Amino acid sequence: VNEKNKLEEKLDIFKRHINSLISEKSELNEQLNKVNIQVEDSKRQLTENITEINTLKMMLKDVDLSKDSIYNLLKIKKGFEIPVFAILKEVLDAEINSSKKRWINISHNKLITVDNALSNYIVSPKILIPFLSQVSLVNNTKEGFYKQKDLKTGQFIVSINGVIWRWDGFVNEKKEGKEKWMIHKSRLADLDKIFHKTQDNVKLNMKNKDHFSSKIMNLEKKEFDVKLKIESLYNQINDISSQINEIKEK
């Protein structure tokens, strides 16, 4: 009888243990399900990034510009791509000093920078700064027409949507359909960063998935081993119970 009681106590311990394992496994499965969703989301985002990158590259493939062209040397603040393109579109294929279309270093009389100069919104080679310092950025056409009369010789105004006013009275409100080159180029630069970050997220989520899956497998192994011990204990208890009953019958 004492031996049976000890086995039953041991059985209770194993039952509590297996309940604990089942509870822990349930929590891990919940975490694994969340990670699986994160894995699928990050993979979907990565696919979307790749698709957008390829689409933009296709749209820009006909832009026949060398890597040394001004187009590829400009860093424009987000949201200001259209006015920059509008004012520089005729020189985007020029290079600093190594092509037939280029700038040369010359001395300038001291230039007075215009209000809200376009140079504030772009990082460019130094040789462009004298020109960009003479281009004033305005928010709308009404402001552009109002300020045009005050322009000094050589100065320009450009609106946020790409309309140009020149010191000599010239106005260009015509859109050529290529204004989005700069936006596409800026978006590609952003996508490159997003792509690498998303790649890192995919790797991290896959690592977390493997981690939780491994822990669940280990718990299932422990659960299986405990179940075997419980089964063995039940068998031992049944054997002892049978022996007790035989003794009682005698």
Side-chain angles (χ1 to χ4, degrees), residues 1-226:
V1 175
N2 287 336
E3 185 178 355
K4 181 184 176 184
N5 289 337
K6 288 179 181 178
L7 289 173
E8 287 177 339
E9 288 176 1
K10 197 171 184 180
L11 180 63
D12 286 338
I13 291 171
F14 280 130
K15 283 182 177 179
R16 287 195 295 272
H17 187 197
I18 200 167
N19 286 334
S20 174
L21 290 173
I22 291 170
S23 176
E24 186 178 354
K25 187 174 76 170
S26 176
E27 290 177 5
L28 285 172
N29 273 316
E30 286 183 13
Q31 290 176 302
L32 181 60
N33 288 335
K34 290 179 182 178
V35 169
N36 279 331
I37 292 172
Q38 291 171 349
V39 167
E40 292 306 313
D41 284 346
S42 56
K43 283 184 176 180
R44 176 185 50 75
Q45 186 179 355
L46 192 64
T47 301
E48 289 174 356
N49 291 160
I50 292 170
T51 301
E52 188 175 357
I53 287 170
N54 290 336
T55 300
L56 289 175
K57 283 183 176 179
M58 284 292 292
M59 293 171 74
L60 291 171
K61 72 176 183 178
D62 295 328
V63 182
D64 186 21
L65 300 172
S66 77
K67 63 182 179 59
D68 296 321
S69 66
I70 289 299
Y71 175 81
N72 288 312
L73 298 178
L74 301 176
K75 292 182 180 178
I76 305 164
K77 287 186 179 181
K78 187 174 288 295
F80 298 93
E81 296 89 354
I82 288 177
V84 170
F85 175 86
I87 206 72
L88 292 178
K89 61 188 174 185
E90 299 300 329
V91 297
L92 289 177
D93 59 340
E95 298 178 14
I96 298 301
N97 53 23
S98 59
S99 74
K100 292 186 177 297
K101 191 173 183 179
R102 65 189 185 277
W103 280 264
I104 58 174
N105 285 311
I106 59 173
S107 59
H108 298 278
N109 294 326
K110 187 174 181 181
L111 297 172
I112 300 174
T113 302
V114 297
D115 291 337
N116 200 27
L118 193 61
S119 54
N120 295 329
Y121 303 93
I122 180 172
V123 177
S124 69
K126 288 182 179 180
I127 205 163
L128 274 180
I129 292 177
F131 173 67
L132 293 173
S133 72
Q134 299 303 295
V135 182
S136 177
L137 179 67
V138 296
N139 292 318
N140 52 62
T141 53
K142 182 178 180 180
E143 189 180 357
F145 280 111
Y146 178 77
K147 290 184 173 181
Q148 186 177 24
K149 65 182 183 301
D150 298 322
L151 290 176
K152 304 292 189 296
T153 302
Q155 292 181 340
F156 291 76
I157 295 171
V158 64
S159 71
I160 197 72
N161 61 352
V163 178
I164 295 172
W165 295 264
R166 202 166 63 193
W167 62 276
D168 59 355
F170 176 76
V171 179
N172 185 3
E173 297 182 81
K174 186 177 179 180
K175 300 292 177 67
E176 299 182 6
K178 296 181 180 179
E179 293 86 358
K180 292 185 178 179
W181 278 7
M182 289 293 186
I183 295 175
H184 295 334
K185 180 172 179 280
S186 176
R187 177 60 179 163
L188 270 176
D190 290 342
L191 278 173
D192 186 58
K193 297 174 185 175
I194 294 170
F195 176 77
H196 287 101
K197 185 177 179 180
T198 306
Q199 266 191 327
D200 291 340
N201 286 339
V202 170
K203 291 176 183 176
L204 177 62
N205 289 331
M206 289 299 294
K207 185 178 179 181
N208 288 337
K209 179 179 178 179
D210 291 342
H211 170 72
F212 288 123
S213 296
S214 176
K215 289 190 75 171
I216 289 171
M217 286 179 64
N218 289 334
L219 282 175
E220 287 176 341
K221 185 177 181 303
K222 289 179 181 179
E223 184 182 346
F224 180 75
D225 291 341
V226 173

